[in-house]
């Protein structure tokens, strides 16, 4: 009897343990669903930020169970037009998805997130894109916080279709707008993280995505011989619907029991059931907000004699629950710590956002002030033009009146002359008649007068000779008079010589101080005559603030950092009245050497002067004097002068390898003599396309050598955008000119042109933008179209290629003797 009792107790215990497993529920099902990444790939995101976000997505994918029967992923770019990088059906493993994300390239363009959300909706629910019906849908949107079109309506449509939306903002997005766009609760689905700290949220975000993908199941617990308890996740809310719970024995489905529960209910206990019986349970959510599928479960009650085994199983279950509860508390503590860290990070991000907004407001205010000053200057110019036009009209009227008065006076003079001629003619006729009548008397009078005049002259000569002889005899005999006369003549000669030399020195001083040397082609130094003729412009130039040394200059990042250091050092040298350094800038033409030299002078508060070596080389011996005049003139600047010598290799050639003329050698020696020591009055900046031609004495006097190369891809795109805005967008939007612009994607077009203009210099790109403007002005309606821009780009490319062929032919053809060798 005892063995049979032990056997029955063992069977009952085994059955109770099985029931206990049923109470705890089956193991959590593996997550299954479609995951779509919406990535901001517009021009508002820098290349560095895009690379960091791409790295973050790769780390996030590495922690997700991607593969057949689990999660599948897709990627859509946010740009001017949405672009699907890869659909759900393309990659079947996590490694393949990571490789595809690393290979994704930034699209640039505008931030049209609304269009991208519409494309994401198509991807998530289109079987052609690999989407699976009936599985959870999750959208992860990574953005810098801004959008060019509305986001709210398309995002609400996705959430109404049951899509769980996670948002990761790396920029300065609006908290209220992004909270409304993310799924509820916002603190679980919205993250504000700096682009360099994205790794902080990787684990939390991957866990949230897996939870959103995990199937929502109906479970049974506390199974006894007469009842059990049901539990389900919150599928509805009290305001969104209600549940209908049905229970029926599997063998008698027609005898079903029903119970209606509110939408916020998550459990119900059935009692009074038969032991050892299978029951079918159905949970039917009823809602007008969204469709939730019914859930079904089959539960078997325990046999009547297994109460003792059940008690033992319940004790084990309680122990297990306590252990799970302890682990849950530890996990909650870790989650709270992560939330605290996230709150700190979000607070730091908000602080950075406020700081950036303040900076943006200041920049906007400065820009508005600049526009106001520009408008005021334009008004002054218009008023000046109007005054000049009125003055020209008054001058024309005065000239016309003066011409009429002059014509009247000339007519009066002509009439008076005619009358005078008639009178003189009449008098002459009368006088001739009288002279003919008295000819004998007149001849006698003339003879008597001539004899008397001859006698008077002879007596005067005799008297003068007597007086001169007596005076000279008295002067020679008186030694004091002779000494005084000699001293007076000597002092007169010394005075004349001194006045002549003083006049020459004063002239050279005035020329050095006020005149501009002939070798200087362009200068910002203000002369006295310029100050007298244009006082308003001179006052505005003197009161202007120092400009940024790189304003309007586009260079590579490394070169930009280096020349900015040079600009800062030069400005501090100017402030401290120290010695300036000599700089050599070399590189192809049109790469910004002259422009940077001007900006450097304005940034440092100095004047600049530009001369060309091609003007010095042909001057011969006059080049020595001209070089000395330039340096004398530069040394008189009170603000300091930046002397920029373009084409310096034209007269600074190597003497060891080339036979140059004695005149050119003298000019070179004069230049070396004046640059032998550093100066606190002027700074020397040389520019050359062939620096290897320099004399070694020149190289020894160079303190800094900077290479200006042709612009790369990013620099060309910045140049194209800058000149497109200067010559096309601003004239088209001001409304004062004839130029208009057709509708097309300007950002995409600028990126395409930057790729096509490889090898072109900044000057060629600027000329291309001016050609666009001229082409629009030449058209009938003044509208610049995309086709017109493409045509000018092709012409510019052909011209550039032709120039390169000429240059190649010149470099490989027979050598041509230089006129200066």
């Amino acid at each position: 009897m005892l063995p049979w009792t032990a056997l029955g107790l063992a069977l009952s215990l085994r059955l109770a343990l099985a029931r206990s497993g049923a109470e705890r529920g089956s193991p959590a099902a593996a997550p299954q669903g479609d995951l779509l990444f919406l990535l901001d790939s517009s021009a508002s995101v820098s290349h560095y930020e895009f690379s960091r976000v791409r790295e973050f997505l790769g780390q996030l994918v590495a922690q997700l169970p991607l593969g057949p029967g689990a999660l599948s992923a897709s990627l859509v770019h946010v740009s001017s037009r949405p672009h699907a990088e890869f659909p759900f059906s393309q990659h079947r493993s996590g490694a393949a998805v990571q490789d595809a994300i690393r290979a994704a390239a930034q699209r640039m363009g505008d931030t049209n997130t609304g269009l991208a959300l519409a494309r994401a909706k198509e991807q998530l629910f289109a079987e052609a894109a690999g989407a699976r019906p009936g599985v959870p849908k999750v959208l992860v949107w990574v953005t810098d916080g801004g959008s060019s079109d509305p986001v709210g309506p398309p995002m609400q449509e996705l959430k109404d279709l049951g899509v769980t939306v996670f948002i990761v903002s790396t920029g300065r997005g609006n908290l209220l707008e992004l909270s409304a766009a993310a799924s509820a609760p916002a603190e679980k689905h919205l993250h504000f993280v700096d682009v360099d700290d994205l790794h902080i949220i990787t684990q939390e975000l991957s866990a949230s995505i897996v939870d959103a993908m995990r199937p929502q199941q109906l479970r049974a617990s506390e199974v006894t011989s007469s009842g059990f308890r049901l539990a389900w996740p919150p599928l509805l809310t009290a305001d969104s619907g209600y549940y209908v719970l049905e229970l029926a024995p599997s063998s008698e489905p027609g005898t079903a029991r029903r119970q209606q529960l509110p939408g916020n209910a998550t459990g119900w206990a059935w009692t009074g059931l038969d032991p050892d019986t299978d029951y079918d349970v159905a949970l039917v959510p009823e809602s007008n907000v969204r469709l939730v599928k019914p859930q079904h479960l089959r539960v078997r009650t325990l046999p009547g004699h297994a109460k003792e085994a059940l008690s033992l199983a319940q004790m084990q279950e309680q122990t297990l629950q306590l252990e799970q509860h302890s682990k849950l508390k530890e996990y909650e503590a870790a989650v709270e710590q992560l939330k605290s860290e996230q709150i700190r990070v979000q607070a730091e991000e908000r602080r950075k956002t406020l700081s950036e907004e303040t900076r943006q407001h200041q920049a906007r205010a400065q820009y508005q002030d600049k526009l106001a000053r520009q408008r005021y200057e334009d008004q002054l110019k218009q008023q000046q033009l109007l005054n000049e036009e009125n003055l020209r009209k008054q001058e024309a009227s005065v000239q016309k009146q003066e011409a009429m008065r002059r014509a009247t006076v000339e007519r009066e003079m002509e009439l008076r002359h005619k009358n005078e001629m008639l009178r003189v003619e009449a008098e002459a006729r009368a006088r001739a008649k009288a002279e003919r009548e008295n000819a004998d008397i007149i001849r006698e009078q003339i003879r008597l007068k001539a004899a008397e005049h001859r006698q008077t002259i002879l007596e005067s000569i005799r008297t003068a000779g007597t007086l001169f002889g007596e005076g000279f005899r008295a002067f020679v005999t008186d030694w004091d008079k002779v000494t005084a006369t000699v001293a007076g003549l000597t002092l007169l000669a010394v005075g004349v010589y001194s006045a002549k030399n003083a006049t020459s020195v004063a002239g050279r001083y005035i020329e050095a101080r006020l005149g501009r040397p002939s070798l200087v082609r362009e200068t910002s130094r203000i002369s006295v005559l310029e100050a007298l003729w244009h006082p308003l412009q001179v006052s505005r130039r003197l009161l202007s603030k120092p400009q940024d040394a790189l304003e309007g200059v586009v260079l590579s990042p490394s070169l930009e950092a280096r020349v900015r250091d040079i600009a800062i050092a030069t400005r501090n040298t100017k402030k401290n009245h120290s010695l300036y350094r000599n700089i050599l800038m070399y590189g192809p033409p049109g790469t910004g050497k002259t422009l940077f030299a001007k900006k450097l002078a304005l940034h440092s508060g100095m004047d600049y002067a530009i001369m060309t070596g091609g003007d010095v080389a042909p001057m011969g011996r006059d080049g020595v004097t001209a070089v000395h005049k330039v340096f004398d003139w530069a040394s008189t600047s009170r603000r300091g002068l930046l002397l920029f010598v373009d084409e310096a290799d034209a007269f600074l050639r190597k003497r060891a390898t080339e036979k140059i003329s004695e005149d050119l050698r003298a000019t070179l020696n004069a230049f070396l003599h004046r640059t032998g020591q550093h100066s606190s009055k002027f700074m020397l900046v040389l520019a050359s396309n062939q620096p290897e031609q320099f004399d070694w004495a020149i190289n020894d006097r160079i303190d800094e050598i900077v290479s200006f190369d042709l612009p790369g891809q990013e620099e060309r795109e910045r140049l194209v955008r800058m000149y497109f805005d200067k010559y096309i967008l601003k004239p088209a939007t001001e409304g004062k000119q004839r130029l208009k612009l057709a509708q097309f994607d300007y950002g995409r077009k600028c990126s395409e042109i930057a790729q096509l203009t490889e090898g072109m210099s900044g000057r060629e790109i600027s000329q291309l933008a001016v050609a666009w403007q001229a082409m629009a002005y030449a058209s009938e309606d003044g509208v610049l179209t995309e086709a017109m821009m493409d045509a000018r780009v092709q012409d510019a490319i052909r011209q550039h290629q032709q120039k390169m062929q000429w240059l190649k032919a010149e470099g490989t053809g027979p050598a041509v003797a230089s006129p200066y060798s």
Side-chain angles (χ1 to χ4, degrees):
M1 184 65 181
L2 185 58
W4 287 106
T5 303
L7 180 59
L9 183 59
L11 292 175
S12 300
L13 180 59
R14 183 178 181 87
L15 182 60
L17 291 175
R19 295 301 187 204
S20 177
E23 293 174 9
R24 292 193 300 268
S26 59
Q32 185 179 12
D34 294 335
L35 173 62
L36 189 140
F37 294 106
L38 190 64
L39 180 58
D40 190 349
S41 187
S42 63
S44 64
V45 179
S46 67
H47 292 297
Y48 172 76
E49 292 175 341
F50 184 80
S51 63
R52 296 293 295 171
V53 171
R54 193 169 51 191
E55 180 181 352
F56 161 69
L57 291 182
Q59 295 174 354
L60 182 63
V61 167
Q63 299 189 15
L64 296 175
L66 294 170
L71 305 186
S72 58
S74 177
L75 176 64
V76 173
H77 291 274
V78 177
S79 184
S80 299
R81 294 184 179 89
H83 173 74
E85 184 71 24
F86 55 86
F88 293 105
S89 58
Q90 183 171 347
H91 303 295
R92 309 300 294 176
S93 65
V97 174
Q98 292 182 53
D99 293 339
I101 291 176
R102 294 192 189 99
Q106 190 172 2
R107 309 298 298 181
M108 305 302 289
D110 296 330
T111 314
N112 294 329
T113 310
L115 293 177
L117 287 173
R119 181 63 178 275
K121 177 182 175 183
E122 296 176 2
Q123 292 286 108
L124 281 169
F125 297 97
E127 296 185 12
R132 295 168 291 179
V135 298
K137 310 289 184 180
V138 173
L139 173 67
V140 178
W141 175 27
V142 184
T143 177
D144 64 349
S147 177
S148 302
D149 56 354
V151 176
M155 187 66 81
Q156 189 61 43
E157 291 181 5
L158 286 173
K159 291 193 291 185
D160 291 342
L161 293 175
V163 178
T164 303
V165 179
F166 292 91
I167 300 178
V168 179
S169 177
T170 63
R172 300 167 296 278
N174 189 297
L175 177 61
L176 296 178
E177 293 180 357
L178 294 179
S179 298
S183 295
E187 58 269 14
K188 181 179 178 182
H189 297 84
L190 175 60
H191 301 274
F192 279 92
V193 188
D194 188 77
V195 72
D196 291 322
D197 299 328
L198 285 172
H199 63 277
I200 297 176
I201 66 169
T202 303
Q203 186 173 3
E204 180 183 354
L205 181 59
S206 62
S208 300
I209 293 174
V210 171
D211 289 341
M213 294 289 193
R214 198 177 300 281
Q216 307 294 324
Q217 293 183 347
L218 177 65
R219 299 183 181 183
S221 62
E222 301 180 11
V223 181
T224 64
S225 59
S226 61
F228 52 84
R229 176 174 292 278
L230 296 175
W232 58 88
L235 305 176
L236 303 175
T237 62
D239 299 329
S240 63
Y242 61 92
Y243 297 101
V244 175
L245 191 62
E246 297 180 355
L247 175 70
S250 301
S251 59
E252 299 178 3
T255 60
R257 297 165 60 183
R258 291 179 175 83
Q259 180 67 36
Q260 182 173 328
L261 300 174
N264 57 355
T266 59
W268 178 257
W270 288 106
T271 59
L273 304 181
D274 297 331
D276 199 17
T277 305
D278 291 330
Y279 287 92
D280 292 331
V281 182
L283 178 67
V284 182
E286 298 289 349
S287 174
N288 294 327
V289 178
R290 60 191 182 95
L291 178 62
V292 182
K293 295 182 179 181
Q295 299 189 22
H296 301 275
L297 181 66
R298 175 168 290 184
V299 184
R300 186 177 182 85
T301 58
L302 296 178
H305 60 274
K307 293 183 179 181
E308 295 82 359
L310 179 61
S311 299
L312 180 59
Q314 288 178 347
M315 292 177 61
Q316 293 178 349
E317 178 66 22
Q318 290 176 359
T319 303
L320 182 60
Q321 288 181 355
L322 289 176
E323 294 177 356
Q324 294 294 333
H325 184 70
S326 176
K327 293 182 179 179
L328 181 61
K329 288 298 183 181
E330 294 177 359
Y331 175 75
E332 289 178 352
V335 170
E336 289 298 328
Q337 184 177 359
L338 288 176
K339 287 184 178 179
S340 300
E341 181 66 19
Q342 182 177 357
I343 291 173
R344 184 191 65 79
V345 172
Q346 291 178 355
E348 182 66 20
E349 286 298 321
R350 283 194 293 271
R351 184 188 65 78
K352 291 181 179 179
T353 301
L354 291 176
S355 177
E356 182 64 20
E357 288 179 352
T358 302
R359 190 184 67 80
Q360 292 289 343
H361 287 317
Q362 292 177 352
R364 191 179 299 109
Q366 293 176 359
Y367 181 69
Q368 294 294 337
D369 181 64
K370 181 179 179 181
L371 290 179
R373 291 198 301 269
Q374 185 65 34
R375 285 195 295 268
Y376 179 70
E377 292 177 0
D378 293 340
Q379 291 177 359
L380 289 179
K381 291 180 180 179
Q382 293 294 334
Q383 186 64 34
Q384 183 179 1
L385 293 176
L386 182 61
N387 294 338
E388 292 177 355
E389 183 66 22
N390 293 334
L391 182 61
R392 283 196 295 270
K393 291 181 179 179
Q394 292 177 2
E395 291 177 352
S397 177
V398 171
Q399 291 176 358
K400 185 176 180 180
Q401 294 177 2
E402 182 66 20
M404 295 175 61
R405 186 188 66 79
R406 191 181 300 109
T408 303
V409 172
E410 290 178 354
R411 181 61 178 172
E412 291 178 354
M413 292 295 294
E414 182 181 359
L415 294 176
R416 189 179 295 112
H417 177 70
K418 289 182 178 179
N419 294 332
E420 186 68 20
M421 290 299 295
L422 292 174
R423 184 183 63 79
V424 170
E425 184 179 358
E427 290 178 355
R429 192 178 298 110
R431 191 165 45 252
K433 182 178 179 182
E435 288 178 355
R436 283 193 302 271
E437 293 175 353
N438 301 315
D440 297 337
I441 298 174
I442 293 172
R443 282 194 296 271
E444 183 65 20
Q445 290 178 352
I446 292 173
R447 186 180 61 77
L448 292 175
K449 286 181 180 181
E452 184 179 358
H453 181 67
R454 183 169 55 255
Q455 183 66 27
T456 302
I457 290 175
L458 292 175
E459 291 179 358
S460 297
I461 292 172
R462 284 194 294 271
T463 302
T466 303
L467 292 176
F468 180 76
E470 293 178 355
F472 182 73
R473 189 180 303 108
F475 175 76
V476 172
T477 57
D478 191 348
W479 182 251
D480 294 335
K481 291 183 179 180
V482 173
T483 304
T485 302
V486 172
L489 292 176
T490 303
L491 291 175
L492 178 62
V494 171
V496 171
Y497 180 77
S498 300
K500 181 179 179 180
N501 288 340
T503 303
S504 177
V505 171
R508 285 197 299 272
Y509 178 81
I510 293 174
E511 181 181 4
R513 292 285 178 176
L514 303 181
R516 185 177 73 180
S518 59
L519 283 180
V520 176
R521 289 192 172 188
E522 179 184 352
T523 180
S524 63
R525 185 174 175 181
I526 301 172
S527 63
V528 177
L529 294 179
E530 185 178 0
L532 294 176
W533 281 105
H534 305 286
L536 183 60
Q537 297 179 2
V538 172
S539 301
R540 189 182 300 114
R541 188 191 306 175
L542 292 175
L543 296 177
S544 62
K545 298 180 180 179
Q547 299 182 4
D548 185 2
L550 296 179
E551 181 180 358
V553 182
V554 177
L555 304 172
S556 62
S558 59
L559 180 58
E560 183 175 336
R562 184 174 183 187
V563 297
R564 188 175 295 279
D565 291 341
I566 294 175
I568 295 173
T570 304
R571 185 174 183 180
N572 292 332
T573 301
K574 168 74 167 54
K575 291 181 178 180
N576 296 312
H577 305 286
S578 185
L579 299 177
Y580 293 106
R581 306 174 70 206
N582 300 330
I583 299 176
L584 167 62
M585 299 186 296
Y586 69 93
T591 51
K593 297 185 290 294
T594 305
L595 180 59
F596 170 69
K598 292 181 179 180
K599 296 291 184 180
L600 176 61
L602 297 178
H603 173 75
S604 305
M606 304 168 62
D607 293 324
Y608 67 84
I610 300 176
M611 60 179 285
T612 304
D615 295 340
V616 181
M619 295 184 66
R621 277 290 173 181
D622 295 336
V624 179
T625 304
V627 168
H628 284 300
K629 285 183 178 180
V630 170
F631 281 101
D632 291 338
W633 176 76
S635 301
T636 61
S637 175
R638 293 184 177 181
R639 300 180 62 192
L641 185 80
L642 188 148
L643 181 59
F644 180 74
V645 183
D646 197 8
E647 299 179 11
D649 53 282
F651 74 103
L652 303 180
R653 297 180 177 179
K654 296 179 182 177
R655 290 179 290 178
T657 58
E658 293 188 6
K659 294 181 179 179
I660 60 178
S661 64
E662 292 300 326
D663 295 339
L664 192 56
R665 188 185 305 278
T667 303
L668 174 59
N669 290 332
F671 191 85
L672 293 175
H673 172 70
R674 299 308 298 264
T675 59
Q677 295 180 350
H678 293 85
S679 173
S680 60
K681 295 292 186 178
F682 65 89
M683 175 181 183
L684 183 63
V685 178
L686 304 179
S688 173
N689 301 333
Q690 297 177 340
E692 65 276 3
Q693 296 291 334
F694 278 166
D695 188 274
W696 290 113
I698 291 295
N699 294 331
D700 188 51
R701 286 165 170 79
I702 297 300
D703 299 306
E704 191 82 23
I705 300 178
V706 184
S707 173
F708 282 72
D709 296 327
L710 291 173
Q713 169 70 27
E714 296 184 4
E715 290 75 32
R716 290 198 304 275
E717 184 167 347
R718 290 169 56 194
L719 286 168
V720 172
R721 290 177 181 271
M722 181 179 69
Y723 290 126
F724 184 82
D725 180 73
K726 179 179 180 180
Y727 295 112
I728 304 300
L729 284 182
K730 286 187 178 179
T733 54
E734 287 176 355
K736 299 180 181 179
Q737 303 188 24
R738 185 173 179 266
L739 178 62
K740 298 178 182 178
L741 193 59
Q743 293 293 331
F744 56 90
D745 192 344
Y746 310 142
R748 178 185 58 80
K749 176 54 63 178
C750 290
S751 300
E752 292 178 358
I753 294 173
Q755 295 178 356
L756 295 175
T757 55
E758 182 177 3
M760 289 190 183
S761 63
R763 183 185 295 126
E764 290 177 309
I765 295 176
S766 173
Q767 294 170 351
L768 177 60
V770 174
W772 293 336
Q773 186 185 74
M775 199 169 191
Y777 287 149
S779 62
E780 295 182 358
D781 51 2
V783 177
L784 179 64
T785 63
E786 188 174 4
M788 297 166 64
M789 292 181 63
D790 292 338
R792 293 306 306 165
V793 169
Q794 295 301 323
D795 290 343
I797 293 174
R798 286 193 293 270
Q799 294 176 9
H800 176 73
Q801 293 174 349
Q802 183 64 50
K803 292 177 183 178
M804 293 300 102
Q805 291 178 359
W806 291 341
L807 185 61
K808 183 177 180 181
E810 181 181 355
T812 58
V816 179
S818 172
Y820 313 125
S821 59

